[in-house]
Amino acid sequence: MDKNELVRLLALEDFGPVYEKADQVRRENVGDEVQIRAIIEFSNICGRKCRYCGINSTNKSIIRYRMSPEEIVETARQAVSAGYRTIVLQSGEDPCFHKETMGQIVKAIKQMGAAVTLSCGELTSSELAYLKECGADRYLLKHETADPILYRKLHPCGTLEDRIECLRTIDRLGYETGSGFMIGLPGQSLKTIADDLLLLKQLHCKMAGIGPFIPHPDTPLWNEKEGSPELTKRAVALARLVLPKANLPVTTSLGVINQKEKENAFACGANVIMKKVTPDPYKEAYQIYPAKLEKTDIQKDRNLLEEQIRGLGRIPL
């Protein structure tokens, strides 16, 4: 599938047949199981200045925090006890979490029998190699947009070239590589989205997070329009066709706009969902985009999510 074909499909008036095809491809390649992954947002300290992100370093309105290694491991233990098989460790680009510290956390979680996904921004090749040796299974680093000009406008502290090189390193080291992008960024076009989808394939991505842009009130993009849920679902469906065997999450941002849209995404190619297990004292301070938050009850939340997934005719895992 080339760029022109992707643009044509994204613009279809009736996308129904494409959704049906994506759901068929999903069923044939990854089955009816929905993988439920626990995400721990262990630090909102970040040195980056990404113009859309609520935890960027220029935002002086939020309370910064950094969980201790002991807190992280204990939270992971509770999640594994509740039935989670994968722990996602996510943070801003926090310079105080050295590779040795993260390595010990990864090793402790691996001893629980869980897989570990890291999402901690751009790391050096040596850092990534060390964490892989410690047992990390996956690394998620969204490229956000494949348009180098738009990337530069949104990321005054980085380049698309550096981001792609880091993703290539992640793939080369043997991680299950994950990337992704937002729908509705100011200046984005259907051609940009087509490039995003093709970049996922070029990077050999085994997972891809695609969600709508949601403006944060404490960022330079506070007054921009939020991304379209419909276009987001179309991009997920096409990602399934481009990457038949990939793990495609229903992103939490889609549910922020409309919970029903989040459920509908399971019918157009998605097979993964991430659930926050971040402790309550920290969860409210980790808002890349604004969202309504509820108190964390790891076991109860897991049970409810399993029930919802079964209600959609799918099998929680």
Side-chain angles (χ1 to χ4, degrees):
M1 197 178 300
D2 62 17
K3 181 175 178 177
N4 289 336
E5 177 65 3
L6 288 169
V7 171
R8 185 188 72 81
L9 291 172
L10 285 166
L12 284 175
E13 183 174 343
D14 179 13
F15 203 78
V18 185
Y19 283 139
E20 292 175 7
K21 178 64 176 177
D23 199 40
Q24 175 190 338
V25 171
R26 185 269 309 159
R27 188 178 302 108
E28 292 172 350
N29 286 274
V30 297
D32 286 328
E33 294 175 339
V34 173
Q35 299 182 38
I36 310 174
R37 297 177 177 170
I39 182 166
I40 304 172
E41 300 148 326
F42 63 89
S43 172
N44 71 348
I45 296 170
C46 188
R48 293 275 179 163
K49 300 178 181 178
C50 307
R51 300 182 74 241
Y52 50 80
C53 181
I55 67 168
N56 80 77
S57 62
T58 64
N59 184 2
K60 308 303 181 184
S61 300
I62 62 172
I63 298 171
R64 301 288 176 172
Y65 73 89
R66 180 184 292 128
M67 290 176 65
S68 70
E70 293 76 16
E71 286 178 297
I72 297 169
V73 172
E74 172 57 22
T75 303
R77 186 196 63 76
Q78 294 177 33
V80 172
S81 296
Y84 290 97
R85 301 183 184 185
T86 294
I87 304 297
V88 182
L89 300 177
Q90 185 177 73
S91 70
E93 293 197 13
D94 185 343
C96 285
F97 273 95
H98 303 294
K99 65 179 183 180
E100 291 81 10
T101 302
M102 286 303 303
Q104 289 301 314
I105 294 169
V106 170
K107 288 178 181 179
I109 296 173
K110 290 293 290 185
Q111 288 176 357
M112 302 174 194
V116 177
T117 298
L118 298 176
S119 182
C120 310
E122 292 180 24
L123 301 182
T124 66
S125 178
S126 63
E127 289 170 331
L128 289 164
Y130 180 83
L131 294 171
K132 187 72 176 68
E133 291 172 4
C134 289
D137 301 279
R138 309 181 182 100
Y139 202 99
L140 175 61
L141 180 66
K142 292 184 179 181
H143 67 266
E144 304 299 7
T145 175
D147 181 336
I149 296 175
L150 181 55
Y151 190 97
R152 192 159 49 245
K153 289 179 180 178
L154 296 172
H155 304 87
C157 51
T159 67
L160 180 59
E161 292 78 12
D162 287 344
R163 181 62 56 110
I164 290 175
E165 180 55 34
C166 188
L167 280 159
R168 294 195 190 285
T169 299
I170 291 166
D171 179 52
R172 189 164 57 246
L173 289 170
Y175 283 93
E176 183 176 314
T177 305
S179 190
F181 54 93
M182 284 182 282
I183 298 294
L185 288 168
Q188 186 183 65
S189 67
L190 294 185
K191 291 182 179 180
T192 312
I193 298 172
D195 285 334
D196 286 322
L197 290 164
L198 293 173
L199 181 58
L200 294 176
K201 186 173 183 178
Q202 293 165 16
L203 292 171
H204 309 127
C205 287
K206 302 298 190 300
M207 55 180 175
I210 303 169
F213 162 70
I214 300 177
H216 191 288
D218 296 322
T219 67
L221 303 184
W222 65 271
N223 62 341
E224 298 288 347
K225 289 175 57 179
E226 62 188 23
S228 161
E230 171 61 25
L231 189 54
T232 300
K233 291 188 300 176
R234 291 186 177 203
V236 172
L238 291 175
R240 175 58 67 197
L241 299 183
V242 172
L243 301 168
K245 297 183 181 299
N247 287 318
L248 301 179
V250 171
T251 62
T252 53
S253 55
L254 193 58
V256 168
I257 294 177
N258 187 314
Q259 179 62 35
K260 191 63 180 178
E261 295 291 359
K262 186 174 180 179
E263 295 173 0
N264 288 343
F266 281 119
C268 59
N271 70 311
V272 175
I273 190 165
M274 296 188 187
K275 184 65 178 178
K276 292 188 180 193
V277 297
T278 308
D280 288 327
Y282 309 114
K283 188 162 62 174
E284 191 170 338
Y286 197 96
Q287 291 204 42
I288 295 174
Y289 49 82
K292 182 181 179 181
L293 300 173
E294 298 178 355
K295 286 188 176 296
T296 298
D297 183 323
I298 295 177
Q299 187 66 69
K300 182 179 178 181
D301 292 345
R302 167 85 192 194
N303 293 345
L304 179 59
L305 195 51
E306 288 185 6
E307 182 181 325
Q308 291 171 338
I309 289 169
R310 290 191 187 96
L312 297 172
R314 303 286 291 279
I315 305 166
L317 183 65

